[in-house]
Amino acid sequence: MPKRMLQGVVVGDKQDKTVIVRVERRFTHPVMKKTVRRSKKYHAHDETNQYAVGDTVWIEEHSPISKLKRWAVVQGEKRAK
């Protein structure tokens, strides 16, 4: 079974080799028929500490690295300054 890939924005980078990524999903509400946005935060492993707040990254499922980290950063794009 392939590993899940998610795209999100880095919202925290204070920990060593870890970034916190906010992943947003959009869906239509079943009753109201309105588009709703929901987000969730994931702790992801960033081996080289190269991503900072505001960068867009792709994360992939990984075997447990620590208590909270089950995702690893695969690739990313730096935020335009």
Side-chain angles (χ1 to χ4, degrees):
M1 191 157 122
K3 295 182 179 182
R4 287 185 294 167
M5 293 269 294
L6 299 174
Q7 179 183 1
V9 177
V10 176
V11 293
D13 63 348
K14 293 187 182 221
Q15 298 168 324
D16 187 32
K17 296 187 180 180
T18 303
V19 289
I20 300 173
V21 181
R22 185 183 69 232
V23 175
E24 191 174 89
R25 65 186 184 96
R26 296 171 68 170
F27 63 96
T28 304
H29 192 279
V31 176
M32 303 299 218
K33 307 300 184 210
K34 180 179 179 180
T35 301
V36 184
R37 297 187 330 182
R38 290 282 181 260
S39 62
K40 187 173 178 180
K41 292 180 186 174
Y42 295 93
H43 286 70
H45 186 66
D46 175 20
E47 183 66 40
T48 57
N49 286 324
Q50 70 183 66
Y51 298 106
V53 174
D55 295 345
T56 302
V57 295
W58 284 262
I59 58 176
E60 181 180 61
E61 276 185 312
H62 196 280
S63 58
I65 301 167
S66 69
K67 180 181 174 182
L68 296 173
K69 286 199 288 186
R70 270 88 175 128
W71 296 83
V73 176
V74 179
Q75 64 183 19
E77 297 173 356
K78 294 287 187 181
R79 176 182 60 173
K81 299 285 177 176

